[in-house]
Amino acid sequence: MPKILIVGGGYAGFYTAWKLEKWLRAGEAEVTMVDPLPYMTYQPFLPEVASASIEARHAVVAHRRHLARTNVLTAKVTHIDHATKTATITPPIGEPWEFVYDIVVVTAGAVSRTFPIPGVADQAFGLKTIEEAVAIRDRVLTNFDKAAQLPAGPERDRLLTFVVIGGGFAGIEVFAELRSFATSLLKSYPEIGFDDTHFHLVEAMGRIMPEVSEPTSLWVIKNLDQRGAQIHLNTQLTSAVDGRIELSTGESFESDLIVWTAGVMANPAIVRHTDLPIEERGRLQVRTDLRVGTEDEIIADAWGAGDVSAVPDLSGGGVGGFCVPNAQHAVRQGKLLAKNIVAVLRDEAPQEYLHKNLGAVAGLGVGHGVFQSGRIAITGLPAWIAHRGYHGLAMPSWERKLRVVWGWVNNFFLGRDIVSLAAVENPRAVFEEFASRPKPPAEAAAPARAFPAKAAPVKTAAAAVTTAAPAEKAAPAARAPRKTAAKPVATVDAGEATATVDVENTVSAAK
């Protein structure tokens, strides 16, 4: 039975495995999917997760729950040697091992692409993972908590200044959602006014959202300006060291939250560790039928799709002749990839990937949205409803759809949940602070402190008299007139020995 290895469990990888389970006959092939995360992230929902409009767990799809007949490995593929059809799998615990496959499907996705700008690597958040979206949400809430206790001044301004780098769809959506989020928080923080919050988006180009028409993009800029958010066009970030934002225009200000959305690149962990052909921009070279290779040469038994691959765009709408890296293409490519793999296994011809984009839709915060299809543009509340409707239906599996929609309904009646869970980054902090620990070995082994030893009681007649006659009872005898006659003595039997003592002197000593 042929072994199919899927490298990556994002959109393209998940949908490939999901559809292979549907279309493969029993015993026709064995499918294994490897991804370091146990879930697929629905990335269009990340801006709403960052703004507390969607619960984080509802924006991910568990691999093992929805891939019942796929071998799911939560590990990393660190090398692909297609010449020998082996892949090196590195688990989180244990030694790397070799996996022998018959067919490989590379769908490893993309990561944030950054530039060597001082401070960015140390200060900024990306927006490619659910963990980043949650951290952004918690940072906003925590900063509001801190700022509410501070007087007006530089530190308060820093906490309430939020910056997004990149004016594409992802950047505009998270920027607008955070603006909407901050505005909704003001009623819970009477110490903070609307004018105390500051939002800046920095875009190097002369316009935002190239997927929509210029008039539509201008409407978005105007809408955000009216909501108290500033967009800097034809501007570059030059430094973000210690949170101090310096722009190419000469402007500078302090910020405690920087979100980087200025581009993506193919997952370097895969494309730099394989013998499969890589094109000049660092992506896997893929044909129109999603087989690896060129139109003149086919790499047998190797397939690719999604953001990691340079898939030719037959519709003519792609940048540089290739499909842009977005969820819309990745989902459709994953479905076709599964269909083509099944076709080749059955000695049938694969189909070419062709998808003509019918439009673009973006959410800009609760009640605000934009939709563009050809020359038709819809803005405001109708576009926002269209945005939620489209992505609600696009979310894979009815189980996930219901969770997301139910969360929206809850928020409509109950409002957003504004609890920060930033402490989860160090969940043992409180336990560690108060937990008892054993003493260090050196301290435990140290001898006890020496004190002067008390004189041991002498077993004499005097001691016996003192014990038998307390001082207060002996006092009258001490006050008796002193006789000049011979001193009285007492004889006391102390076991085997007999001692004779001076009673008067003994009583005086006791007193």
Side-chain angles (χ1 to χ4, degrees):
M1 187 164 57
K3 292 184 177 181
I4 301 174
L5 173 64
I6 301 175
V7 180
Y11 293 117
F14 174 82
Y15 272 92
T16 300
W18 205 22
K19 296 305 178 182
L20 282 174
E21 288 191 354
K22 178 180 179 181
W23 294 325
L24 283 172
R25 303 187 188 111
E28 193 169 11
E30 177 184 318
V31 181
T32 300
M33 188 180 74
V34 183
D35 192 279
L37 297 174
Y39 51 79
M40 182 210 87
T41 302
Y42 190 74
Q43 293 182 5
F45 280 157
L46 292 183
E48 291 197 59
V49 172
S51 62
S53 289
I54 292 179
E55 168 59 35
R57 289 182 182 272
H58 298 170
V60 298
V61 181
H63 290 153
R64 292 181 178 274
R65 176 162 186 167
H66 296 283
L67 298 176
R69 296 190 299 278
T70 300
N71 300 321
V72 177
L73 301 180
T74 305
K76 293 180 179 180
V77 172
T78 52
H79 190 269
I80 299 173
D81 185 357
H82 194 61
T84 60
K85 290 191 174 181
T86 59
T88 303
I89 296 178
T90 303
I93 299 176
E95 296 298 320
W97 53 283
E98 300 298 318
F99 181 95
V100 179
Y101 62 81
D102 297 293
I103 299 170
V104 66
V105 179
V106 182
T107 56
V111 299
S112 296
R113 182 192 61 179
T114 60
F115 305 106
I117 300 172
V120 168
D122 303 316
Q123 302 292 327
F125 291 93
L127 194 66
K128 292 293 291 180
T129 68
I130 196 70
E131 293 81 6
E132 290 171 322
V134 171
I136 292 169
R137 179 200 66 190
D138 289 344
R139 177 66 64 88
V140 172
L141 290 169
T142 301
N143 283 9
F144 266 72
D145 287 332
K146 294 177 180 178
Q149 304 175 62
L150 294 175
E155 180 60 19
R156 196 170 192 257
D157 289 341
R158 185 182 69 86
L159 292 171
L160 297 177
T161 298
F162 308 101
V163 179
V164 175
I165 311 298
F169 249 63
I172 289 294
E173 283 192 301
V174 72
F175 184 63
E177 288 286 354
L178 290 178
R179 173 68 272 184
S180 175
F181 185 29
T183 300
S184 71
L185 289 175
L186 296 177
K187 61 180 179 292
S188 300
Y189 292 86
E191 306 90 344
I192 299 174
F194 181 86
D195 293 335
D196 294 328
T197 59
H198 311 284
F199 284 80
H200 299 269
L201 183 138
V202 180
E203 170 55 46
M205 305 297 289
R207 59 164 297 179
I208 61 170
M209 303 176 74
E211 297 87 348
V212 303
S213 66
E214 187 171 357
T216 303
S217 69
L218 292 175
W219 179 90
V220 173
I221 293 174
K222 181 179 179 181
N223 175 268
L224 289 170
D225 181 66
Q226 292 171 345
R227 292 159 58 189
Q230 184 178 357
I231 295 179
H232 304 261
L233 297 178
N234 295 311
T235 305
Q236 296 179 3
L237 175 69
T238 59
S239 178
V241 175
D242 296 330
R244 181 171 181 80
I245 304 299
E246 297 182 5
L247 305 179
S248 59
T249 57
E251 297 175 80
S252 64
F253 45 85
E254 301 278 344
S255 174
D256 194 53
L257 176 61
I258 306 167
V259 182
W260 180 275
T261 65
V264 297
M265 65 179 179
N267 190 340
I270 298 299
V271 296
R272 296 176 185 174
H273 301 93
T274 180
D275 58 350
L276 293 171
I278 306 300
E279 51 97 57
E280 58 186 10
R281 295 190 61 185
R283 297 172 296 180
L284 188 67
Q285 196 163 20
V286 174
R287 294 161 39 92
T288 54
D289 58 10
L290 304 180
R291 286 184 285 187
V292 176
T294 64
E295 294 305 315
D296 301 324
E297 181 185 6
I298 299 174
I299 305 298
D301 300 323
W303 303 77
D307 295 354
V308 75
S309 302
V311 180
D313 190 345
L314 297 180
S315 71
V319 178
F322 296 98
C323 296
V324 297
N326 61 23
Q328 204 174 81
H329 282 303
V331 169
R332 288 170 171 81
Q333 289 169 9
K335 294 178 180 179
L336 179 63
L337 202 157
K339 187 177 294 185
N340 282 351
I341 290 174
V342 172
V344 171
L345 285 174
R346 297 172 185 172
D347 295 324
E348 300 172 1
Q351 300 177 20
E352 293 184 327
Y353 177 73
L354 171 61
H355 170 66
K356 186 172 178 60
N357 190 5
L358 298 179
V361 62
L364 304 176
V366 176
H368 302 272
V370 59
F371 170 79
Q372 181 84 48
S373 179
R375 296 184 178 181
I376 300 174
I378 302 174
T379 58
L381 181 61
W384 176 74
I385 295 173
H387 160 76
R388 286 205 160 179
Y390 172 79
H391 286 297
L393 291 174
M395 186 72 179
S397 84
W398 282 104
E399 176 253 341
R400 291 286 106 177
K401 296 181 201 294
L402 291 175
R403 290 183 188 274
V404 170
V405 173
W406 184 244
W408 284 336
V409 172
N410 285 339
N411 285 355
F412 180 79
F413 291 103
L414 304 176
R416 311 183 209 214
D417 194 330
I418 62 170
V419 175
S420 170
L421 297 178
V424 77
E425 296 178 11
N426 188 8
R428 296 186 63 253
V430 176
F431 180 83
E432 285 187 90
E433 181 180 359
F434 299 104
S436 298
R437 291 178 170 82
K439 294 180 179 180
E443 182 179 340
R449 182 181 176 183
F451 291 95
K454 294 183 179 179
V458 179
K459 290 184 178 181
T460 61
V465 172
T466 302
T467 302
E472 58 270 21
K473 292 183 178 180
R479 290 193 295 269
R482 179 175 297 179
K483 295 181 180 180
T484 57
K487 297 179 181 179
V489 296
T491 301
V492 180
D493 185 0
E496 296 179 357
T498 300
T500 301
V501 296
D502 186 331
V503 175
E504 184 178 9
N505 290 343
T506 299
V507 172
S508 299
K511 183 178 178 180

